[in-house]
Amino acid sequence: MPMGVNHVSFKDLSTTQQELVFSAQKVMSKAYNIYSDYFVGASVRTKKGGIYSSANMENSSYGLSICAEVGAIQQAISSGDPEITTIAVCGGFNSENKGKTPTPCGRCRQLIYESSQISSIDLEVICANSDLSGIIITKISDLLPLPFGSKDLHLDLKIKEIKKRIKKSK
Ligand code: THU
């Protein structure tokens, strides 16, 4: 297990962390999940204090399903508030599921990593099962070691320009 993966209780979280987890838990109920019956909610917090949330949306062409994390990150970007500091993900088969705590899929880890380059923060990732009895706190660098990113393409400076443009546009 990576060093920075911590299993904690909900009561050990700070008030702001708890608020984000509650918001991810709340949006789970909006999942469009007729193929898997699996509910996921994700909420992101930004440097400005914004919170953006989304649930998973499935598709009859299974591979086209959209994860909750994608929607939440996309909402922050589209709101002109792209600098994400923390993401909370809550999931399970129903609202009282004491099951395994879900962690973001591989594609979502890569998307969270992209956000970490935008905010220049090693994003905090809080994962919860649906009754909040199993909480994992970690960082994207622990979930996705040795990432491929904008630096590999010599484009890390371009992210700064784009970030300014997003923030300026009304
Ligand atoms: N899912 C997410 O929303 N996020 C993840 O990180 C993993 C999986 C969704 C996709 C699909 O709707 C359901 O969970 C079962 O895979």
Side-chain angles (χ1 to χ4, degrees):
M1 194 182 289
M3 290 283 288
V5 175
N6 297 301
H7 293 258
V8 301
S9 297
F10 185 72
K11 62 174 176 37
D12 298 328
L13 301 177
S14 69
T15 315
T16 48
Q17 288 171 327
Q18 288 186 352
E19 182 189 25
L20 202 65
V21 171
F22 272 143
S23 137
Q25 186 193 37
K26 190 172 170 210
V27 77
M28 271 175 75
S29 65
K30 305 284 193 292
Y32 174 74
N33 58 358
I34 62 170
Y35 302 100
S36 74
D37 275 340
Y38 195 79
F39 293 81
V40 186
S43 295
V44 298
R45 183 187 291 284
T46 64
K47 280 185 190 169
K48 284 205 281 192
I51 293 184
Y52 305 91
S53 301
S54 171
N56 51 327
M57 178 185 178
E58 300 188 341
N59 192 279
S60 53
S61 178
Y62 288 14
L64 297 183
S65 296
I66 298 169
C67 288
E69 295 91 321
V70 180
I73 293 170
Q74 173 64 13
Q75 275 208 44
I77 293 283
S78 308
S79 304
D81 189 8
E83 293 186 281
I84 297 169
T85 61
T86 313
I87 182 165
V89 180
C90 187
F93 282 105
N94 60 57
S95 58
E96 278 115 43
N97 192 286
K98 293 201 189 309
K100 180 188 171 293
T101 303
T103 48
C105 76
R107 177 174 189 259
C108 287
R109 291 177 196 208
Q110 184 69 25
L111 295 175
I112 295 167
Y113 177 64
E114 193 73 26
S115 292
S116 79
Q117 293 169 101
I118 298 172
S119 59
S120 305
I121 285 178
D122 187 8
L123 248 78
E124 181 176 63
V125 182
I126 308 172
C127 308
N129 60 354
S130 48
D131 73 348
L132 312 185
S133 60
I135 310 276
I136 295 171
I137 302 194
T138 186
K139 294 276 171 101
I140 189 57
S141 59
D142 287 302
L143 288 180
L144 189 68
L146 300 176
F148 182 81
S150 57
K151 283 195 179 82
D152 294 282
L153 299 172
H154 298 171
L155 291 174
D156 40 325
L157 286 174
K158 205 166 177 188
I159 284 194
K160 291 204 176 94
E161 287 167 29
I162 288 173
K163 198 163 78 179
K164 270 193 209 143
R165 198 219 333 112
I166 293 172
K167 284 167 132 182
K168 260 199 227 147
S169 63
K170 291 270 177 241

